[in-house]
Amino acid sequence: MRKFYSTALVGAMASAVLLTAGCGQGLLAGDTGSDEKKNEPIMLGMLIPQSGSEAAIGPYMSNAAQLAVDEINAKGGVLGRTLELKTADDACDPQSAAAGANKLVTAGIHLSIGGYCSGATLPTLPIFAKADIPMIIPAANSQDLVDQKLKNVFLINGTGAQQAGAAAAWMAKDGATKVALMHDNTSYSKDIALRTQALVDEPGGPETAILEAVTPKESDYSANITKVLAKKPDYVYWTGYFQEGGLIARQLRQAGYTGKIMVGDGSVSPKLIEIAGPEAAAGLYATMTQTPDTLKGAENWIADYKKKFGTDPGPYSNQAYDAVRLAAEAVTKAGGTDGEKLISALEAIDGFPMFSGPLKFTPEHTLSTGGFQILVVKDGAFALQDALQ
Amino acid sequence: MSQLVWNGLFVGSFYALVALGYSMVYGIIKLLNFAHGDLYMLGAFVGFAVLGAAGGVSAAMALPVLLLVLVLTMGVTGLAGVVLERVAYRRLRGAPRLSLLITAVGASFALEYGMRAGAGADPRVYPVRLSGTTLEVLGARVTLQQLTLVAVAVILMIGLNLLVNRSREGRAMRAVALDPRAAALMGIDVDAIISRTFFLGSALAGAAGVMAGAHYGKIDFMMGFLIGLKAFTAAVIGGIGNIPGTMLGGLLLGLLESFGTFWLGGEWRDVFAFGVLILFLTVRPTGLLGERVTERV
């Protein structure tokens, strides 16, 4: 399914080039003519954290984007023009992000392919919208971004709704009958839990036994666990973060719970396994977006990345890489860099091959399928259990 | 039902251990030492460092090694408490109570973020953890390790009670608590007694920190914040300044949380527990066993 990378990329590019060569160029020549300079590079802007608490993520994303840019340029670029990547630091902070977005707009970017921290990405939405610049957001995935209902915003990472969908689908597939949902009362965690509850409670399949909120930053969750276990669930889904997740998994096992445990993407961290201890963590499931080490058929891509940058790709490398490829595809389909046409081209995309599966946007500009997969703790590390494709 | 009682008593014994330090310090210099919860955190990290330095420990040796680490840590956090009093509180003893209170909050932040700077913001996991067989006692699941921890807590509390009520040292403490000036006139070294009180209270908090690390596994630089507040609540419920009352308050708070969670749901637990605190403050400000103090003018 995913072994397409180099071949599919060439194929997609080739057919796109043929298409534009056949009819696009001639048709569009008239309205893209005068103000667009044919030989200038197509500028892609990328806001990522390069300093601050999330600084470690920045290089994973910008390196992967640069890899995609170089690959596309090596094949002759897009519409005969080369791609150029311009990065700016958002420091995972709203003020820095707004300043960075203005800087990129002034620099004359045609598309934005950045956005990691949801809170920092949110204020950049109107800035890019005003400048008529389409945004392909590789990582940030808060429902707040979708709720702005801006037509230039496209999310290629899974959202809370999709995470809930993946969780419910997997629990039904795995034969769950009574599901306990536990969250930490933060908006992110509660949102996933409530959406999962709505899906689980649809007729047929499992049902929700209990929805339980815990206080984060505590050590002892035995009171919550006693309450949850009194409902005799066979599946417990924790949607919060890894510190509490590790403690809850351990204390569930200590309380004699023998059913299955699953955690959300905020809990996917090696620290969770360390806190829970290897025995309690063994066989624990997780809903998680694709990371390079759980991708199937990405060996060549990982090798290319490593050859170029000397390090392994990390979280959101694959999404950043896909964002550049998607941007190139949109420019090809639109026959130029006009904002309106790029948006229509992105909306019209159907079946574009990406790491997360064939791409088609929903009317809300989020992924219509894929995005989340199921991991399992095996030999003290998270490994792929089911890609849910 | 018996499970709820046991959960409450187990958590409550931690609260009681930490609350004792609060209560003793308040009893003797009328200071709410808000940095007390952070001494619990410090204890957990000291225990972590000692265990790390000791290298690998086999599972069979876990309990004796942890008890040794517990004693060592009590010494270290006890001394830290003495230093804290000497550096931050002694010079302010004659100052308005509000200045002392603010200093205590400052000391709390200094300890928290000092630890963050020193050990990093990432949570740490104890290399040695107690794991025991599970017993069924009256329908409640109880592990041997939990019983051990509760036994240690009870021994420490009995020891403290004997020390305060039966020894010369303790008599001096009680005298200073009643009236520092008169105690000084009777030839008691008030500064030394206050130092010793800080030592005892901080050592108990450090012991609780190591026990929490060994039982729950995860420690981080903010772990003392919430338990500090809970211990304060426990002390107020039981009667701040009164040692048996404080122990009772700790256990009661643990039970309140356990039953509050079960009856009202996890999101209401703290509302319930702190609601009880407010109720106590309005209806019985001296707590369960606290005596009415006449305002000294």
Side-chain angles (χ1 to χ4, degrees), chain A residues 11-370:
Chain A
M13 296 303 299
S15 58
V17 168
L18 278 177
L19 189 85
T20 37
C23 59
Q25 209 78 319
L27 258 168
L28 292 167
D31 39 66
T32 53
S34 57
D35 58 352
E36 212 167 314
K37 290 151 200 140
K38 287 277 183 260
N39 298 322
E40 286 211 338
I42 295 166
M43 307 267 279
L44 302 177
M46 190 173 207
L47 270 173
I48 39 168
Q50 292 168 325
S51 62
S53 60
E54 304 295 324
I57 292 289
Y60 289 137
M61 295 176 67
S62 57
N63 284 348
Q66 191 61 51
L67 179 67
V69 165
D70 292 349
E71 281 178 9
I72 292 166
N73 285 343
K75 288 182 183 115
V78 179
L79 305 178
R81 297 164 68 181
T82 55
L83 295 180
E84 192 182 318
L85 182 68
K86 230 179 165 48
T87 60
D89 186 15
D90 70 11
C92 198
D93 159 65
Q95 268 111 38
S96 311
N102 283 318
K103 198 172 121 195
L104 289 176
V105 170
T106 317
I109 62 160
H110 299 107
L111 283 112
S112 160
I113 54 155
Y116 169 73
C117 296
S118 296
T121 307
L122 192 59
T124 69
L125 263 51
I127 297 172
F128 288 124
K130 215 169 163 187
D132 215 10
I133 294 168
M135 299 176 75
I136 299 169
I137 302 179
N141 63 350
S142 158
Q143 190 62 36
D144 290 343
L145 301 172
V146 181
D147 291 344
Q148 302 302 309
K149 297 194 190 329
L150 289 170
K151 64 183 175 58
N152 67 321
V153 177
F154 294 83
L155 275 67
I156 61 167
N157 191 14
T159 58
Q162 280 147 1
Q163 174 147 216
W170 170 252
M171 288 189 286
K173 190 172 168 183
D174 202 31
T177 55
K178 287 175 88 177
V179 176
L181 298 166
M182 295 178 76
H183 63 87
D184 65 9
N185 243 341
T186 60
S187 67
Y188 151 80
S189 168
K190 194 173 179 179
D191 178 58
I192 299 170
L194 290 177
R195 286 170 190 275
T196 308
Q197 184 186 28
L199 291 171
V200 166
D201 281 344
E202 279 173 11
E207 57 181 72
T208 312
I210 185 173
L211 180 74
E212 175 75 359
V214 309
T215 316
K217 305 273 167 225
E218 292 253 17
S219 299
D220 198 299
Y221 291 108
S222 55
N224 302 95
I225 285 167
T226 304
K227 187 172 183 201
V228 165
L229 295 188
K231 304 280 188 223
K232 307 215 178 308
D234 59 359
Y235 233 104
V236 175
Y237 183 35
W238 162 250
T239 61
Y241 294 94
F242 67 91
Q243 298 198 20
E244 293 81 14
L247 291 169
I248 287 172
R250 184 179 176 83
Q251 290 170 23
L252 274 168
R253 294 298 182 216
Q254 280 176 344
Y257 174 68
T258 53
K260 303 213 166 113
I261 306 173
M262 183 157 78
V263 298
D265 60 346
S267 281
V268 177
S269 158
K271 274 276 179 201
L272 174 122
I273 300 169
E274 212 185 312
I275 292 169
E279 296 112 59
L284 177 124
Y285 294 114
T287 47
M288 180 64 186
T289 51
Q290 280 91 357
T291 54
D293 46 338
T294 60
L295 287 172
K296 279 186 186 155
E299 295 82 9
N300 290 339
W301 177 74
I302 292 173
D304 286 348
Y305 184 102
K306 220 171 161 171
K307 202 170 108 199
K308 199 168 172 82
F309 303 107
T311 57
D312 277 318
Y316 300 106
S317 287
N318 40 323
Q319 282 93 342
Y321 178 84
D322 276 338
V324 173
R325 291 179 48 243
L326 181 61
E329 170 79 1
V331 172
T332 312
K333 284 268 165 69
T337 52
D338 177 67
E340 287 291 327
K341 289 198 184 106
L342 284 172
I343 291 168
S344 318
L346 283 166
E347 281 173 341
I349 276 172
D350 190 355
F352 180 71
M354 298 209 311
F355 281 116
S356 57
L359 174 76
K360 180 168 171 56
F361 284 111
T362 62
E364 286 186 309
H365 293 181
T366 58
L367 293 184
S368 56
T369 53

Side-chain angles (χ1 to χ4, degrees), chain B residues 245-265:
Chain B
T246 304
M247 296 178 196
L248 192 66
L251 297 181
L252 192 64
L253 181 66
L255 289 170
L256 281 174
E257 288 193 353
S258 177
F259 281 91
T261 304
F262 194 76
W263 286 333
L264 303 171

Side-chain angles (χ1 to χ4, degrees), chain B residues 266-280:
Chain B
E267 60 270 52
W268 290 98
R269 184 190 71 177
D270 286 351
V271 178
F272 186 65
F274 288 98
V276 170
L277 171 71
I278 294 171
L279 198 72
F280 260 97

Side-chain angles (χ1 to χ4, degrees), chain B residues 120-140:
Chain B
D122 272 351
R124 302 300 182 92
V125 179
Y126 257 50
V128 182
R129 281 199 263 182
L130 290 170
S131 51
T133 24
T134 310
L135 309 170
E136 290 272 338
V137 181
L138 301 169

